[in-house]
């Protein structure tokens, strides 16, 4: 069974920073695209960022470009999402995902999800 364990959520004021972590197995980490998605209350799930195995190719939603950075540590089988200059509209449950197929999509295929981490940004 594929498991993805998230940590790093919390409450922060607008303009602050948080870093999310997602740890998985070596097999999962090497075989899948790793990414982050988020879902605000009453809203649809949306793509945030993704990174390929090599770490040289990264992808971001327009709403987070220049503020969020995705990275991965292949030795630790861990992917990170550094979130800077947070805005109230970033408030959502953030899900780590391991998936295949189309990289930039709100509905990834062949996907395994983390348990979710609540990120709340106060104004």
């Amino acid at each position: 069974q594929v498991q993805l364990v998230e940590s790093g959520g919390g409450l922060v004021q607008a303009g602050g920073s948080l870093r999310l972590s997602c740890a998985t197995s070596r097999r999962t980490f090497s075989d899948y695209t790793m990414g982050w998605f988020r879902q605000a209350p009453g809203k649809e799930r949306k793509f945030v960022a993704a990174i390929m195995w090599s770490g040289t190719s990264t992808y971001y939603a327009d709403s987070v470009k220049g503020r969020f950075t995705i990275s991965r540590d292949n030795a630790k089988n861990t992917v990170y999402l550094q979130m800077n200059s947070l805005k109230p509209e970033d408030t959502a449950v953030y899900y780590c995902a391991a998936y295949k197929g189309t990289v930039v999509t709100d509905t990834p295929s062949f996907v395994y999800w983390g348990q979710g981490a609540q990120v709340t940004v106060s104004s």
Side-chain angles (χ1 to χ4, degrees), residues 33-52:
T33 300
M34 299 299 299
W36 293 92
F37 298 75
R38 66 187 183 185
Q39 187 166 24
K43 304 296 183 181
E44 70 276 13
R45 181 184 61 237
K46 290 189 174 182
F47 171 84
V48 176
I51 188 167
M52 312 308 292

Side-chain angles (χ1 to χ4, degrees), residues 8 20 38 49 77-78 100 116:
L20 302 180
R38 66 187 183 185
N77 304 319
T78 301
K100 297 183 178 181

Side-chain angles (χ1 to χ4, degrees), residues 15-37:
S17 298
L18 285 172
R19 188 179 75 161
L20 302 180
S21 298
C22 176
T24 187
S25 68
R26 175 197 59 79
R27 187 72 178 185
T28 301
F29 202 66
S30 62
D31 286 354
Y32 292 82
T33 300
M34 299 299 299
W36 293 92
F37 298 75

Side-chain angles (χ1 to χ4, degrees), residues 5-12 17-22 36 81 83 86 94 115-120:
V5 181
E6 301 181 38
S7 62
L11 190 153
V12 65
S17 298
L18 285 172
R19 188 179 75 161
L20 302 180
S21 298
C22 176
W36 293 92
L81 185 68
M83 304 182 291
L86 283 162
Y94 284 70
Q115 81 277 14
Q118 178 68 52
V119 172
T120 302

